[in-house]
Amino acid sequence: MADELILREVHGEVGLVRLNRPAALNALSLPLMNELGDALAAWDSDPAIGAMVITGNNRAFAAGADIKEMADATSVQMLTHDHIGGWDRVAEMHKPVIAAVSGYALGGGCELAMMCDMIIASETAVFGQPEINLGVMPGAGGTQRMVRAVGKSITMEMVLNDRRLSAEEAYQFGLISRIYPVENYLDEALRIAGEIAARAPVAVRLAKESVNKAFEMSLSQGLAFERRNFYFLFSSDDQKEGMDAFANKRKPEWKGK
Ligand code: DAK
C-alpha cells in the first residue's frame, strides 16, 4: 500500500525494510523511525531471520530527518519527544544490519546508514551531512560515526561546509564497503546478507558485537573483550561442528547453539 511508511519483506533468512515515503525522499519522520525500530526488533528476536537490510529507492535512501516535522519544535520538545529513542534501536540490534543505499543519504539518512553494520551503495549514492544549511548540526551520530569512518578533515568539510561524497569517494574513504550498478545494488546487499545469515549465528553475533566495541573501548579493553568472546564460543556446539567439519573435509551444519 502506498501510504505505509515502511515495507517489510522476507527473503530467505533476510528481513528487508524498504523506507517508503518516496514523495518526501524518504524523510525519516518519528512514526517511520518507530516502525523501523519495531520491524528490526521483531526480526532480531526471530530465529528464522539471520540478517537484515534497510533500503530506500533508487533516488533516495533518505534525505534526512523530516524537516517539516521538526521545524517548529522547541529544545524541550525535542528532548521529551524522545526523538533519539527510535533511532538508537537501529544500532542496538544483535543481528547484522546492512544499509543498501542509492541516491541521497543526507543528514539523518546518512546517520541511519552509519548505524548499520555495513553500507553497500549504488553508483549514484550521495552521502552528506547538510544540517548546517538549516542552522543546526548533526544530532544522530554524524559528527561521531563519520569522523571514525573517514577522519577529521573530511568530516569537518562535510559538517561545516556541506561537502557531499560520491559513492566512489565514500568507498575510497572507507565509509562504505561495496559499490554496484544501480540495477543490482539491492540484490547484492541481499546476497551478502543471505551469506552472513547462513553462517554460525552465535559466532556472527559475538563477532559483530566485538567489532562494534572497537568504537567504544580502548585497544586493551577491546582486545580483552574480543578474547572473552572468542573463548566463549568454545562452549557452543557450532564451534565443535565447524572444527570437526574442517578436519573431516565436509560442510558444517550450524545449529545456532
Ligand atoms: N524532510 C522533509 N521533506 C523533505 C526532506 C526532508 N529531510 N528532503 C526532501 N523533502 C521533500 C521536499 O520538501 C519535497 O517535498 P514537496 O515540496 O514535493 O512536498 C520532496 O521531498 C522532494 O524534494 P525536492 O523537491 O527538494 O527535491 P530535489 O531533487 O530538488 O532536491 C534534495 C533533493 C535532497 C537535495 C533536497 O530535497 C534537500 O536538500 N533535502 C533536505 C536535505 C537535508 O537538509 N537533510 C538534513 C535534514 S536534518 C536526531 C535524529 C536525526 C537528526 C537529528 C537529530 N535525533 C534523534 C536527536 C537528523 C536531522 C536531519 O536529517
Side-chain angles (χ1 to χ4, degrees), residues 34-89:
N34 286 335
E35 283 193 28
L36 174 63
D38 289 346
L40 297 179
W43 282 330
D44 207 40
S45 56
D46 179 349
I49 296 295
M52 298 170 262
V53 175
I54 303 173
T55 197
N57 54 53
N58 289 353
R59 185 172 175 218
F61 177 72
D66 191 324
I67 298 169
K68 294 163 192 170
E69 182 184 68
M70 286 186 291
D72 296 324
T74 65
S75 329
V76 173
Q77 283 166 342
M78 289 299 284
L79 185 75
T80 54
H81 273 96
D82 191 24
H83 271 261
I84 200 72
W87 292 76
D88 273 353
R89 291 164 79 194

Side-chain angles (χ1 to χ4, degrees), residues 21-30 33 59-60 62-70 78 82-88 104-112 115 128-134 136-141 162 164:
R21 297 185 70 202
L25 303 184
N26 290 331
L28 302 167
S29 63
L30 209 50
M33 289 307 296
R59 185 172 175 218
D66 191 324
I67 298 169
K68 294 163 192 170
E69 182 184 68
M70 286 186 291
M78 289 299 284
D82 191 24
H83 271 261
I84 200 72
W87 292 76
D88 273 353
Y104 296 113
L106 300 179
C110 189
E111 291 169 314
L112 172 62
M115 287 174 191
Q129 298 290 162
E131 291 89 342
I132 200 79
N133 300 332
L134 303 169
V136 290
M137 58 175 278
D162 190 15
R164 308 219 174 157

Side-chain angles (χ1 to χ4, degrees), residues 157-196:
E157 269 203 65
M158 295 177 76
V159 169
L160 302 183
N161 202 27
D162 190 15
R163 176 169 174 186
R164 308 219 174 157
L165 303 184
S166 65
E168 188 54 44
E169 287 173 316
Y171 180 74
Q172 282 169 14
F173 301 155
L175 178 64
I176 68 177
S177 61
R178 304 265 185 173
I179 308 175
Y180 293 105
V182 71
E183 295 77 31
N184 64 345
Y185 75 98
L186 180 56
D187 288 341
E188 292 294 336
L190 288 168
R191 177 184 63 76
I192 292 168
E195 287 176 7
I196 295 169

